[in-house]
């Protein structure tokens, strides 16, 4: 698929088609306050992996509703003092994987925490271990329309809350340096990194790649690829529900979290990306509130974006920031 979205000069100016609800900040303050009423109950159990350069800890912490959420914490094998921390969120349908995966960041001398995504982890990769015990009204298969009739019930309210709590859990380990915490992720993981970047004020850096969950009004009409297409399929059946659905989604839009970003940020996008269209990524980037921000643009790439090239760019970029 060739480039299909706005021309590059317009991408560099585009700020989205969505307006934040007036009670956006109140909604998220209340949500996180309710989550923090539950003890974090974080536990770290070192596991054997056969790896000699990395130690791996199986992590459990209390996320939304006090529900147990899993993760992996990886540290350089010789870690003896608090290290800069990278918290990573994974892509749609993926889970935390196996203990020996995700070795880039501990190889740079950092602590690295990967959060499992509740209810996911059965589409590809090494799997997941976190159920979502919350029921939902009728929805289209997938996760995008679970509880979509009401912001209080929407699936991503739970997941974003888990993501904020994941940062708190990772920071609880004595070998992580809370003052040097970066959040990263690709696709869904990038969208969660954006949300955390808008909700956690004391991060050192944020690096979302091809972030999902941005500029919903444009995304659901511009692309017919999943996961956004799940919303279109739902509305194809639930005729007349568009206004209410978009109202719900406005509480979870990465553009609104970006407007609250107060830390340096490195974004990336592919101009042929039909999963997370580049205009929706640029809307979040152009809205990002901190002046120290950069976006890497890959002219002929789809949703894979920069891949290993972007990984190298992040390693270099973080070396001077966190």
């Amino acid at each position: 698929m060739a480039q299909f979205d706005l021309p590059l000069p317009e991408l560099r100016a585009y700020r989205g088609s969505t307006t934040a609800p007036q009670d956006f900040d109140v909604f998220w303050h209340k949500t996180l306050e309710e989550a923090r009423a539950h003890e974090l109950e974080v536990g770290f159990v070192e596991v054997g992996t056969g790896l000699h350069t990395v130690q791996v800890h199986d992590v459990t912490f209390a996320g939304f509703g006090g529900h147990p959420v899993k993760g992996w914490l990886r540290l350089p094998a010789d870690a003896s003092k608090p290290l800069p921390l990278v918290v990573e969120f994974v892509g749609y349908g993926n889970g935390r994987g196996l203990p020996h995966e995700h070795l880039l960041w501990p190889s740079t001398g950092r602590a690295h925490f990967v959060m499992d995504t509740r209810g996911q982890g059965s589409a590809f990769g090494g799997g997941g271990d976190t159920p979502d015990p919350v029921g939902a009204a009728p929805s289209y298969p997938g996760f995008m329309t679970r509880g979509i009739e009401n912001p209080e019930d929407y699936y991503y309210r739970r997941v974003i809350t888990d993501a904020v709590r994941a940062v708190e859990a990772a920071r609880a380990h004595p070998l992580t340096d809370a003052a040097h915490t970066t959040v990263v992720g690709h696709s869904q993981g990038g969208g969660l990194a954006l949300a955390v970047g808008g909700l956690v004020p004391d991060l050192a850096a944020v690096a979302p790649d091809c972030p999902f969950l941005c500029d919903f009004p444009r995304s659901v009409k511009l692309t017919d690829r999943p996961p956004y297409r799940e919303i279109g399929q739902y509305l194809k059946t639930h005729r007349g529900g568009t206004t209410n659905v978009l109202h719900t989604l406005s509480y979870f839009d990465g553009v609104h979290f970006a407007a609250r970003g107060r830390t340096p940020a490195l974004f990336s996008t592919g101009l042929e990306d039909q999963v997370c269209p580049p205009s929706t990524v640029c809307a979040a980037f152009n809205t990002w509130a901190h002046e120290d921000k950069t976006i890497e643009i890959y002219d002929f790439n789809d949703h894979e974006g920069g891949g290993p090239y972007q990984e190298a760019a992040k390693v270099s970029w973080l070396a001077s920031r966190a």
Side-chain angles (χ1 to χ4, degrees), residues 207-240:
D209 294 318
C210 306
F212 184 45
L213 310 172
C214 293
D215 197 2
F216 281 107
R218 180 171 176 84
S219 295
V220 299
K221 295 177 181 178
L222 185 60
T223 180
D224 60 2
R225 278 202 199 170
Y228 283 122
R229 188 55 189 162
E230 293 175 22
I231 299 169
Q233 289 296 114
Y234 176 87
L235 290 172
K236 187 175 182 179
T237 299
H238 296 270
R239 298 165 176 82

Side-chain angles (χ1 to χ4, degrees), residues 68-79:
V69 179
K70 301 295 289 184
W72 296 119
L73 176 67
R74 295 174 178 85
L75 299 160
D78 60 355

Side-chain angles (χ1 to χ4, degrees), residues 28-51:
W28 280 107
H29 177 78
K30 177 185 176 185
T31 295
L32 296 179
E33 191 175 57
E34 290 175 358
R36 290 174 179 139
H38 301 274
E39 294 294 331
L40 189 58
E41 295 183 344
V42 60
F44 301 93
V45 178
E46 189 168 358
V47 298
T49 62
L51 303 175

Side-chain angles (χ1 to χ4, degrees), residues 112-253:
H112 179 227
F113 184 92
V114 176
M115 186 190 83
D116 210 18
T117 308
R118 62 168 62 217
Q120 298 189 29
S122 296
F124 62 94
D129 299 292
T130 303
D132 181 15
V134 180
S139 61
Y140 186 81
F143 304 93
M144 295 302 297
T145 64
R146 294 186 180 186
I148 202 167
E149 294 296 331
N150 187 329
E152 298 282 339
D153 299 329
Y154 191 47
Y155 171 76
Y156 278 101
R157 180 176 182 238
R158 303 191 289 280
V159 176
I160 290 171
T161 301
D162 292 346
V164 171
R165 297 283 274 175
V167 172
E168 296 169 0
R171 285 173 159 178
H173 194 279
L175 292 179
T176 64
D177 182 354
H180 293 85
T181 303
T182 299
V183 293
V184 305
H186 177 267
S187 192
Q188 174 184 259
L192 295 178
L194 273 176
V196 172
L199 293 171
V200 179
D202 60 345
L203 298 172
V206 175
D209 294 318
C210 306
F212 184 45
L213 310 172
C214 293
D215 197 2
F216 281 107
R218 180 171 176 84
S219 295
V220 299
K221 295 177 181 178
L222 185 60
T223 180
D224 60 2
R225 278 202 199 170
Y228 283 122
R229 188 55 189 162
E230 293 175 22
I231 299 169
Q233 289 296 114
Y234 176 87
L235 290 172
K236 187 175 182 179
T237 299
H238 296 270
R239 298 165 176 82
T242 302
T243 299
N244 186 54
V245 162
L246 290 178
H247 174 70
T248 292
L249 294 173
S250 67
Y251 288 89
F252 308 94
D253 200 306

